Every structure is written in structure tokens, then in C-alpha cells.
Amino acid sequence: MIKISILATSDLHGYLYPTDYRQPPDTTLGLAKIATYIEQIRTQQPTLLIDNGDLIQGSPLTYYYHTKKQGLDPMILAANTLNVDAAVFGNHEFNYGKDYLQQVIEQSHFPWLACNILTRDGTYWTKPYILKELAGLRIAIIGATTHFVTLWENPAHIEGLQFINAFEAVKNTVEMVRPLADIVIVSYHGGFECDLQTGEVLENTTENEGYRMCQEIDGIDVLISGHQHREIATFVHGKPVVQPSSKGSCLAEVELTIEGQTIISAKPQLHYVDTQTKPYYPLLTLAQSLYNQTEQWLDTTIGTIDAPILVENPFEARLQGHPFIDFIHHVQLEASGAQLSTTALFHNKVSGFNTHVTMRDIVSSYIYPNTLKVLRLTGQDIWDALEQCATYFEIKNNTLVVSPTFKVPKDEPYNYDLWAGIEYEFTISNPRGQRVTKALYNGKPIDMHATFDVVMNNYRATGAGNFPMFKNKPIVKDIQIDMTELIANYFYKYPVVKATWNHNLKVEI
């Protein structure tokens, strides 16, 4: 009888160092700290280490590196140093384009797996799986990526690639490799569409299919998941599943007890880092010069606002608007020339801006690598979108609160939008679909048949986040410049920005 450990990272998003680059920094994260657990477990029993995607994009460090492209990608350097056994593509791996990703693949000392990403001629882009031998066992590792990449990504970044349905690809690949292996691991950059305890359907798309994989595919011994940034270590239909949050806040492990070639028991668990966890020193030295340059770049003042636009209460900001939101609208409208703008307060740690604005302020407050699109929408599309926005709120004890549908299975504040260019009101006590009680353009009720040019981020423009009224709408303009760069450019153009607050939103019980 032997024990082996399957270790997994996921959604690291470029967080190598134990910092979130804010002030004061959050140090309970980072691959360097997770690596300490990896090395400890390796001394105890045989292990495999798998990265489940969204590795190379998302932090100020990797953003700055991408602007310079000097030396090897810092996250690949780290993964090579840790002797990662295999990696899976996350949707954000494609943000910098296929050519850059091909360079990343070539830099890696480990294979990248994708059973559902094909070339134009129908062949696998990379290996769909690998077979590893560990402690005398034949172990198959299958990789898959949510096929919703095609909805979010710039088509030029995935030119020549086909993303087929992840469930079907995994099912077919498991059937192919099961006779070849004692243990089959599926590493899926996707999450769960159902409540893990009750099976209740929580999503009606195929973006996340982990529950169905566990329910319907025989032959999976371990399922590693990601994409949703959840903390999961449990069993689903008898299969051990893990998902290790994001940015290196924890390491996932499935410890298997094996007799002969048979799994006797499985123990899924998460190892959390904290302020006392010591970083793994070899990783800290890999990109120290790049880190120092990033820190210097982040603290460079690039513009001034005539009054602070700090976000002290995110819920209140979503309830009544905020000068910081208005600022983002100004940037989007300036860059696009659109009539209307819609954006979100993406997370609950947005600080907003003080009077002197640095790049650190920008990347801390605008956390996604979004570009902008201008869609041509009808007044009815806008009304329907406002109705969807109104579902963010519900009434509890005669008080407005966030609807649980935006909190379970994960927190989704980024799927509630605020608008500029119109005046609008919600009455939350009304039935869903009847909560928009006013929507004015130029002081008059929106004409449902008129068309409007509306600027929004590329994620929302796909209809993602339950906005089907945006899907397949005419694209008037596609602005392929990252929003953080657009914000910086706005300050370069207007060295002193005037803080404004339009008060164009009212939400009532």
C-alpha cells in the first residue's frame, strides 16, 4: 500500500511574489509561498504537480513584463524551477495572442495539454494528454479548457484554433486513455455549473461543465477544476474534486492511497498560505530585477484629479453611482466616441483614486485586461440590460442587499453594470422584469426602436454575465488597447482631471 499526492495550482494570474501590489500589500498569496508547501509534500511521498491554467496573465508583474518582453516569462521560469509536470491552458493564456503563447510553450520544460483545442485542420494543437509513471503506477493527465474562450477573446489571438465542447472532448479522451492507465486525472480549466451538494443547476450555459463530467463520465479518478476562483475540496458523485481559488492563496492536493493498482481512498484538501508562511527562496530570486522595475513603475505618478474619488463603500457606489465610476465612463467615452457607456465596479477592494494617481492605483482598481467594443443597440436592448442589472438587488428586512444569485457559487460584482449617458431608476419591490421605472435619454423616454452606440468592455460585449441582449449585435468599433493603458493615456492627455458625479441612477425599495 502506498500514498501519492496530486498537487494543483490554478488561476495564479501572474502572482509569483507574496504581494497584491497594493498599499498596504496583502501577503497571503503568491506562488512563492505555495511552493513551500509543494516542496514539503514532495519530501513525504511521490507527487505530481499540475498547473490548471490562467498562469501567465493578471498581475502588475506580468503586465509590466509583457510591455518589455526581456528574458523569459517570469511565471514560466517559476514553473520550470518547480518542475511542473503538466499545464493546462486557461482562457486568459490567450490574452497576449497565439504567437506569444507559442513562445511560452517553447520556453516551458513541461507539456501544455488541451484535448479540446484543435487546429483548423482538426488535429490537436498540443498534446491532449500525457502518461506519467509514478511509484510504479501509470497515470494519465488529460487537459481541457472552457470552450467559452471564443466568446471572450480577440479573434486574432486565437486565429486558426477550434475550441470544441469540453465535456465531449474529455469524455472521448477518458474513454481512449482509461485502458492505458491505472489512474486518470482530468485537469479542467472550468468550474461547476451545479450546486455540489444538491445538484441544483446554477448556470444554464456550458461555460462550466465540471459537475456533468463527474456525473456522466466513467473513468475519472481525480478532477482538478478552476476558472471560477472557488475554494473546493470535496467529492462529487464519488470523485475527488479540488479548486484552489486564485492568485496563489492556497494549494490543492488529492492524496491517494493505493493498493496494487487500485485506489483504496482519496483525500482532497487545500493548503492555505498565511502571513507566517515562508516563501520558497529559489522563486524569489528568479525575477528580482523585473520585480524591482515593476515596483518603481507602479509608483510613478502619471496624473492628477482635482478631488479624491475614493471608493469607501462599494455597495453604496453600486447603489447610487460614484465619481470613480463616472471617471471610467469618461475614459471609455473619450476613447470610443460612443453615445452611452456601461461599466462595472469589478471587485470589492477597489480603492478608487486620490488626487495624485499612479500606475499602482490604476492596476489596483481596474484589475482585468479588458479592451473596449462599441455595440449598436436598440432602446429595447438597453431596457432589457437595465432589467438584468436590477436583478443585482433584492430586499431583506426592508433593506436593499445583494441578491444571492450574484454571490453563489461565487461573488460576481463584475456582472452588475452602471450606465452613463442616460438617467434611470429601479424599483426593486416590483417583480423581476418590471423593475426599471425610468430610462431617459436627453431628458426623454428611451425610444425602444431607436439605435444607440454603447461602449463596454470586450467581456460584456459577448453577452457574458447574463446579458444575451448584447450577443451578436453590430460592432461599430473595436478598440484593441488595454483599459489600463487607456486610463493612463487619458491622464497623459488631461494632466488635471475634474472629478464629476452625474447622479443619474436611483434605486428604490
Side-chain angles (χ1 to χ4, degrees), residues 156-182:
H157 290 175
I158 53 176
E159 185 177 0
L161 298 180
Q162 303 179 57
F163 291 76
I164 63 175
N165 178 270
F167 172 84
E168 296 297 336
V170 168
K171 184 175 186 295
N172 292 336
T173 310
V174 169
E175 290 174 355
M176 179 170 54
V177 305
R178 183 73 264 186
L180 308 176
D182 301 310

Short mmCIF file of all heavy atoms in Angstrom, two decimals, residues 156-182:
data_model
loop_
_atom_site.label_atom_id
_atom_site.label_comp_id
_atom_site.label_asym_id
_atom_site.label_seq_id
_atom_site.Cartn_x
_atom_site.Cartn_y
_atom_site.Cartn_z
N ALA A 156 -8.28 37.54 -33.37
CA ALA A 156 -6.91 37.47 -33.89
C ALA A 156 -6.00 36.68 -32.96
O ALA A 156 -4.99 36.11 -33.40
CB ALA A 156 -6.36 38.88 -34.10
N HIS A 157 -6.33 36.65 -31.67
CA HIS A 157 -5.49 35.95 -30.69
C HIS A 157 -5.65 34.43 -30.75
O HIS A 157 -4.81 33.71 -30.21
CB HIS A 157 -5.82 36.44 -29.28
CG HIS A 157 -5.37 37.83 -29.01
ND1 HIS A 157 -5.65 38.48 -27.83
CD2 HIS A 157 -4.66 38.70 -29.76
CE1 HIS A 157 -5.14 39.71 -27.89
NE2 HIS A 157 -4.53 39.85 -29.05
N ILE A 158 -6.73 33.95 -31.36
CA ILE A 158 -6.97 32.51 -31.42
C ILE A 158 -7.18 32.06 -32.87
O ILE A 158 -7.79 31.02 -33.11
CB ILE A 158 -8.18 32.11 -30.54
CG1 ILE A 158 -9.41 32.94 -30.90
CG2 ILE A 158 -7.84 32.26 -29.07
CD1 ILE A 158 -10.67 32.53 -30.14
N GLU A 159 -6.66 32.84 -33.80
CA GLU A 159 -6.83 32.53 -35.21
C GLU A 159 -6.25 31.15 -35.52
O GLU A 159 -5.15 30.79 -35.10
CB GLU A 159 -6.14 33.58 -36.07
CG GLU A 159 -6.38 33.39 -37.56
CD GLU A 159 -5.73 34.49 -38.39
OE1 GLU A 159 -5.10 35.39 -37.79
OE2 GLU A 159 -5.85 34.44 -39.62
N GLY A 160 -7.02 30.36 -36.24
CA GLY A 160 -6.58 29.03 -36.63
C GLY A 160 -6.84 27.96 -35.61
O GLY A 160 -6.48 26.79 -35.83
N LEU A 161 -7.47 28.30 -34.49
CA LEU A 161 -7.77 27.32 -33.44
C LEU A 161 -9.27 27.07 -33.34
O LEU A 161 -10.08 27.98 -33.53
CB LEU A 161 -7.24 27.80 -32.09
CG LEU A 161 -5.74 28.00 -31.95
CD1 LEU A 161 -5.39 28.47 -30.56
CD2 LEU A 161 -4.98 26.71 -32.29
N GLN A 162 -9.63 25.84 -33.03
CA GLN A 162 -11.01 25.48 -32.75
C GLN A 162 -11.12 25.04 -31.29
O GLN A 162 -10.31 24.24 -30.83
CB GLN A 162 -11.45 24.31 -33.62
CG GLN A 162 -11.35 24.50 -35.11
CD GLN A 162 -11.80 23.25 -35.84
OE1 GLN A 162 -12.94 22.78 -35.68
NE2 GLN A 162 -10.92 22.68 -36.65
N PHE A 163 -12.11 25.56 -30.59
CA PHE A 163 -12.37 25.15 -29.20
C PHE A 163 -13.65 24.33 -29.20
O PHE A 163 -14.75 24.88 -29.30
CB PHE A 163 -12.50 26.37 -28.29
CG PHE A 163 -11.21 27.13 -28.09
CD1 PHE A 163 -10.71 27.95 -29.08
CD2 PHE A 163 -10.50 27.01 -26.90
CE1 PHE A 163 -9.53 28.65 -28.91
CE2 PHE A 163 -9.31 27.69 -26.72
CZ PHE A 163 -8.83 28.51 -27.73
N ILE A 164 -13.51 23.03 -29.12
CA ILE A 164 -14.69 22.17 -29.15
C ILE A 164 -15.21 21.98 -27.73
O ILE A 164 -14.55 22.31 -26.74
CB ILE A 164 -14.39 20.82 -29.81
CG1 ILE A 164 -13.34 20.03 -29.02
CG2 ILE A 164 -13.92 21.03 -31.25
CD1 ILE A 164 -13.08 18.64 -29.58
N ASN A 165 -16.42 21.47 -27.63
CA ASN A 165 -17.06 21.31 -26.32
C ASN A 165 -16.18 20.52 -25.36
O ASN A 165 -15.73 19.42 -25.68
CB ASN A 165 -18.40 20.61 -26.51
CG ASN A 165 -19.12 20.36 -25.19
OD1 ASN A 165 -18.93 19.32 -24.57
ND2 ASN A 165 -19.89 21.32 -24.75
N ALA A 166 -15.93 21.10 -24.19
CA ALA A 166 -15.00 20.49 -23.24
C ALA A 166 -15.52 19.16 -22.72
O ALA A 166 -14.76 18.19 -22.59
CB ALA A 166 -14.73 21.45 -22.08
N PHE A 167 -16.81 19.08 -22.41
CA PHE A 167 -17.36 17.83 -21.89
C PHE A 167 -17.17 16.69 -22.87
O PHE A 167 -16.69 15.60 -22.50
CB PHE A 167 -18.86 18.00 -21.56
CG PHE A 167 -19.52 16.71 -21.18
CD1 PHE A 167 -19.47 16.24 -19.89
CD2 PHE A 167 -20.20 15.95 -22.14
CE1 PHE A 167 -20.07 15.03 -19.54
CE2 PHE A 167 -20.79 14.75 -21.81
CZ PHE A 167 -20.74 14.28 -20.51
N GLU A 168 -17.55 16.92 -24.13
CA GLU A 168 -17.45 15.86 -25.13
C GLU A 168 -16.00 15.44 -25.35
O GLU A 168 -15.69 14.25 -25.49
CB GLU A 168 -18.09 16.32 -26.44
CG GLU A 168 -19.58 16.58 -26.36
CD GLU A 168 -20.39 15.34 -26.02
OE1 GLU A 168 -19.91 14.22 -26.27
OE2 GLU A 168 -21.51 15.49 -25.49
N ALA A 169 -15.11 16.44 -25.38
CA ALA A 169 -13.69 16.13 -25.60
C ALA A 169 -13.12 15.33 -24.44
O ALA A 169 -12.36 14.36 -24.65
CB ALA A 169 -12.90 17.42 -25.81
N VAL A 170 -13.46 15.71 -23.21
CA VAL A 170 -12.97 14.97 -22.05
C VAL A 170 -13.53 13.55 -22.04
O VAL A 170 -12.81 12.58 -21.79
CB VAL A 170 -13.35 15.72 -20.74
CG1 VAL A 170 -13.11 14.82 -19.53
CG2 VAL A 170 -12.54 17.00 -20.61
N LYS A 171 -14.81 13.42 -22.34
CA LYS A 171 -15.44 12.09 -22.36
C LYS A 171 -14.73 11.17 -23.35
O LYS A 171 -14.37 10.03 -23.02
CB LYS A 171 -16.92 12.22 -22.74
CG LYS A 171 -17.71 10.92 -22.70
CD LYS A 171 -19.19 11.20 -22.96
CE LYS A 171 -20.04 9.95 -22.79
NZ LYS A 171 -19.71 8.92 -23.81
N ASN A 172 -14.49 11.68 -24.55
CA ASN A 172 -13.84 10.87 -25.57
C ASN A 172 -12.39 10.53 -25.19
O ASN A 172 -11.92 9.41 -25.43
CB ASN A 172 -13.86 11.60 -26.91
CG ASN A 172 -15.26 11.72 -27.47
OD1 ASN A 172 -16.15 10.94 -27.14
ND2 ASN A 172 -15.47 12.72 -28.32
N THR A 173 -11.71 11.48 -24.58
CA THR A 173 -10.30 11.25 -24.22
C THR A 173 -10.19 10.27 -23.06
O THR A 173 -9.29 9.41 -23.04
CB THR A 173 -9.61 12.57 -23.90
OG1 THR A 173 -9.85 13.53 -24.93
CG2 THR A 173 -8.10 12.38 -23.76
N VAL A 174 -11.10 10.38 -22.09
CA VAL A 174 -11.09 9.42 -20.97
C VAL A 174 -11.30 8.01 -21.50
O VAL A 174 -10.61 7.06 -21.09
CB VAL A 174 -12.16 9.79 -19.93
CG1 VAL A 174 -12.34 8.66 -18.92
CG2 VAL A 174 -11.78 11.08 -19.20
N GLU A 175 -12.26 7.85 -22.40
CA GLU A 175 -12.51 6.52 -22.97
C GLU A 175 -11.28 5.98 -23.69
O GLU A 175 -11.00 4.78 -23.66
CB GLU A 175 -13.69 6.60 -23.93
CG GLU A 175 -15.04 6.84 -23.23
CD GLU A 175 -16.18 7.06 -24.21
OE1 GLU A 175 -15.92 7.12 -25.44
OE2 GLU A 175 -17.33 7.18 -23.75
N MET A 176 -10.51 6.88 -24.31
CA MET A 176 -9.32 6.47 -25.05
C MET A 176 -8.18 6.04 -24.12
O MET A 176 -7.47 5.07 -24.39
CB MET A 176 -8.87 7.61 -25.97
CG MET A 176 -7.64 7.33 -26.79
SD MET A 176 -7.34 8.59 -28.05
CE MET A 176 -7.33 10.09 -27.06
N VAL A 177 -7.99 6.79 -23.01
CA VAL A 177 -6.80 6.54 -22.18
C VAL A 177 -7.07 5.60 -21.01
O VAL A 177 -6.11 5.08 -20.42
CB VAL A 177 -6.20 7.86 -21.65
CG1 VAL A 177 -5.90 8.81 -22.78
CG2 VAL A 177 -7.11 8.53 -20.62
N ARG A 178 -8.33 5.39 -20.67
CA ARG A 178 -8.62 4.55 -19.50
C ARG A 178 -7.96 3.18 -19.57
O ARG A 178 -7.39 2.71 -18.57
CB ARG A 178 -10.13 4.42 -19.35
CG ARG A 178 -10.62 3.63 -18.13
CD ARG A 178 -10.45 4.39 -16.83
NE ARG A 178 -9.26 4.06 -16.11
CZ ARG A 178 -8.98 4.52 -14.89
NH1 ARG A 178 -9.83 5.33 -14.28
NH2 ARG A 178 -7.88 4.18 -14.28
N PRO A 179 -7.96 2.51 -20.73
CA PRO A 179 -7.29 1.20 -20.78
C PRO A 179 -5.77 1.28 -20.65
O PRO A 179 -5.12 0.26 -20.41
CB PRO A 179 -7.68 0.66 -22.17
CG PRO A 179 -8.89 1.44 -22.58
CD PRO A 179 -8.70 2.80 -21.98
N LEU A 180 -5.22 2.49 -20.82
CA LEU A 180 -3.77 2.64 -20.80
C LEU A 180 -3.22 3.00 -19.43
O LEU A 180 -2.00 2.99 -19.24
CB LEU A 180 -3.35 3.74 -21.79
CG LEU A 180 -3.88 3.63 -23.23
CD1 LEU A 180 -3.45 4.86 -24.03
CD2 LEU A 180 -3.39 2.34 -23.87
N ALA A 181 -4.10 3.36 -18.49
CA ALA A 181 -3.64 3.95 -17.23
C ALA A 181 -4.28 3.31 -16.02
O ALA A 181 -5.42 2.82 -16.08
CB ALA A 181 -3.94 5.46 -17.24
N ASP A 182 -3.54 3.34 -14.91
CA ASP A 182 -4.09 2.91 -13.63
C ASP A 182 -4.92 4.02 -12.99
O ASP A 182 -5.89 3.76 -12.30
CB ASP A 182 -2.95 2.52 -12.69
CG ASP A 182 -2.09 1.41 -13.26
OD1 ASP A 182 -2.65 0.39 -13.70
OD2 ASP A 182 -0.85 1.57 -13.28
#
